[in-house]
Amino acid sequence: AGVSAAVPVNFGEPYKLQVLMPGETAVPGSATGKTGTPSNRMAGVPFDITVNLVDKNYNLITSPEEDMPMASVITDTDDFDTPPTEKPLISGSETFTVTLVTAKTDHNITVETSGSPAYLSDTTPNFTVAPNNTAAQRKLQVLAPGETALAGSPTGKSGTPDTQKSNQTFELTVNIVDAYFNRDQTQSATISLRSNDQFFSPPSNLATTNGQAIFTNVVMIAANESPGWVITASTSAGTQCQDGSSSPIPVQAGVLSRLLVLAPGESQIQGSGTGKTGTPDTQTAGAAFDVTVRACDINFNTVTTAVNEVSITTDDDYDTHPENKNLTAGSTVFAVTLVTKKNSIVSAQSAGLTDGSSGSIQVTNNVPYKLQILVPGETALQGSPTGKTGTPALRTAGVAFNITVNSVDQWWNMTDSSPTATISSTDPYDSNDPRDVDLVEGTKTVSWTFSTGNQSPGWQFTA
């Protein structure tokens, strides 16, 4: 056998770039220029890649620095990472630090030259980036209908929550994710829900499957179209994660069902059991006040599309009910005037809807206006047109009986005004006429005796 002396072999002309992932090693002259397989990476964890300038046979070009490409640009399949800055290839090679944030199985990285001369680019084989399993960064992600998970993105999702209706079920998805919103299918936990809607009734807790829990029976109660309600997820068992919250979910009123009546002093609370809070303010007999009527769903959320005709009634037997009105955007206001000194309720009716009623409204007397005389057989009837009921009973001449003098307002309601009243009768021979009496807290009972018989028309009193 004959053996030559060592033959020096120089690299050829610069031809292309070569990129080496962790797990790969350069093999100049081979068919692929390297050996090994890219190792899997973890989201958010930096790693180094090596970029070489090589000839056609993957030999490293080590020409003087002035002959090297000015820079190398990294592009990759992660839409949300920050690629490293360009660098010159010094002595034909440079290391770049890459941090990928999106977990998936088909990542690759491409390197290119910028400026002139330009050489062929190179792309790594596909490799996997797994979710970051750092426990401190583990959290929950809440997706409402209309939203889609978008791993690696700053918010972790795309889209806007769809508007929901009160009292109707919808689906809510909760994912166990890392700091970059990559779903971690290796983790399991039991998830509970809560909301800033004070009337929210959370569904039963749910265990995750492959890092995900899908609640199919979520129901919002109170309407809130802007900004909407937020639902928060927590881990009640299993892998502990930071709480996650949904984007604000707009909630509209449900199906038109009932009327709500608000007297002064009462305020609407949509979604509550009674639909309102507060106690009606005291009103004055004969003085008008405003009552608001709203069309609502079963949970007392205002249905703004309602235009129904509404009528008003009260349990004051002597007031005059206001005329019917149509709702405008689900609401209208009536001027109500109660005339009887007592506790009254204002009610609203509309065909096909459940009636609504105010709380009990205390009605006090108006200003003192006149005197009222009640004789045996008559009974005071506050608020009525005559102020009393009954017919004077037959009296006997010479036999004393009691009469009552009251201070009343314009609607015959008792007042506590206590003037001195002068009482007289039309009997010319009674021994009592005239007589001055002092009312006490608006009333006085006086004993009187007629002397002269007069069955028809009878004698009269004046106070």
Side-chain angles (χ1 to χ4, degrees), residues 226-277:
S226 180
W229 297 119
V230 172
I231 296 178
T232 299
S234 302
T235 49
S236 58
T239 301
Q240 293 302 301
C241 306
Q242 300 175 36
D243 289 356
S245 295
S246 71
S247 303
I249 303 171
V251 179
Q252 291 179 340
V255 177
L256 180 61
S257 172
R258 67 202 315 171
L259 295 178
L260 175 71
V261 177
L262 300 172
E266 295 181 312
S267 301
Q268 183 178 12
I269 300 185
Q270 299 190 108
S272 67
T274 61
K276 57 186 174 181
T277 186

Side-chain angles (χ1 to χ4, degrees), residues 341 368 371-372 403-408 414-421 423 436-446:
K341 181 181 178 180
L371 296 178
Q372 177 189 52
I403 63 172
T404 301
V405 179
N406 294 326
S407 168
V408 295
M414 288 282 296
T415 77
D416 59 3
S417 176
S418 300
T420 297
I423 305 174
D436 289 343
V437 295
D438 294 327
L439 275 63
V440 178
E441 295 184 355
T443 188
K444 184 70 175 179
T445 299
V446 180

Side-chain angles (χ1 to χ4, degrees), residues 17-376:
L17 295 180
Q18 178 190 50
V19 55
L20 298 174
M21 284 281 296
E24 294 182 315
T25 304
V27 182
S30 66
T32 60
K34 56 186 175 182
T35 187
T37 302
S39 58
N40 293 338
R41 315 314 306 167
M42 183 178 292
V45 178
F47 62 94
D48 288 342
I49 62 171
T50 300
V51 178
N52 297 325
L53 177 63
V54 295
D55 62 15
K56 286 186 177 183
N57 296 303
Y58 295 102
N59 297 294
L60 180 66
I61 306 299
T62 58
S63 298
E65 184 175 336
E66 58 269 17
D67 295 331
M68 292 292 106
M70 292 298 297
S72 180
V73 178
I74 302 294
T75 61
D76 56 57
T77 51
D78 192 330
D79 294 330
F80 303 107
D81 72 325
T82 301
T85 56
E86 299 176 352
K87 290 182 181 181
L89 296 177
I90 297 176
S91 298
S93 184
E94 184 57 83
T95 298
F96 292 84
T97 300
V98 178
T99 305
L100 302 178
V101 295
T102 305
K104 59 180 182 178
T105 60
D106 57 351
H107 272 297
N108 58 62
I109 296 174
T110 299
V111 293
E112 301 172 339
T113 56
S114 64
S116 180
Y119 299 103
L120 294 179
S121 62
D122 189 27
T123 300
T124 68
N126 286 351
F127 60 92
T128 296
V129 173
N132 194 310
N133 59 10
T134 305
Q137 297 184 353
R138 197 173 293 132
K139 58 188 177 182
L140 297 179
Q141 176 190 51
V142 180
L143 299 174
E147 295 181 313
T148 303
L150 192 59
S153 68
T155 62
K157 54 189 173 183
S158 63
T160 303
D162 297 336
T163 298
Q164 303 300 321
K165 284 189 177 293
S166 170
N167 220 44
Q168 293 186 5
T169 60
F170 62 96
E171 191 173 279
L172 195 79
T173 300
V174 179
N175 293 324
I176 299 176
V177 296
D178 64 13
Y180 310 98
F181 296 102
N182 299 295
R183 177 175 150 197
D184 191 343
Q185 300 188 40
T186 66
Q187 303 299 324
S188 61
T190 300
I191 309 298
S192 63
L193 300 180
R194 65 182 186 274
S195 174
N196 58 346
D197 173 2
Q198 62 178 317
F199 304 110
F200 177 70
S201 180
S204 299
N205 294 354
L206 190 62
T208 60
T209 301
N210 297 326
Q212 183 178 79
I214 300 177
F215 292 84
T216 59
N217 57 341
V218 180
V219 178
M220 306 304 294
I221 301 299
N224 180 5
E225 293 193 59
S226 180
W229 297 119
V230 172
I231 296 178
T232 299
S234 302
T235 49
S236 58
T239 301
Q240 293 302 301
C241 306
Q242 300 175 36
D243 289 356
S245 295
S246 71
S247 303
I249 303 171
V251 179
Q252 291 179 340
V255 177
L256 180 61
S257 172
R258 67 202 315 171
L259 295 178
L260 175 71
V261 177
L262 300 172
E266 295 181 312
S267 301
Q268 183 178 12
I269 300 185
Q270 299 190 108
S272 67
T274 61
K276 57 186 174 181
T277 186
T279 303
D281 297 338
T282 299
Q283 301 300 325
T284 301
F289 60 96
D290 286 342
V291 169
T292 300
V293 178
R294 291 185 178 146
C296 297
D297 64 13
I298 192 66
N299 294 313
F300 291 104
N301 299 299
T302 301
V303 180
T304 57
T305 57
V307 294
N308 307 49
E309 183 181 43
V310 175
S311 62
I312 289 291
T313 58
T314 75
D315 58 359
D316 186 335
D317 295 331
Y318 305 108
D319 71 329
T320 301
H321 300 160
E323 294 183 356
N324 295 357
K325 279 187 176 182
N326 286 345
L327 299 169
T328 300
S331 182
T332 191
V333 176
F334 290 89
V336 175
T337 303
L338 301 175
V339 296
T340 305
K341 181 181 178 180
K342 67 169 189 173
N343 289 342
S344 290
I345 291 175
V346 178
S347 300
Q349 302 82 32
S350 183
L353 302 181
T354 301
D355 294 354
S357 297
S358 71
S360 182
I361 303 170
Q362 182 181 3
V363 180
T364 62
N365 58 271
N366 210 308
V367 296
Y369 181 74
K370 54 190 173 184
L371 296 178
Q372 177 189 52
I373 301 176
L374 299 174
V375 300

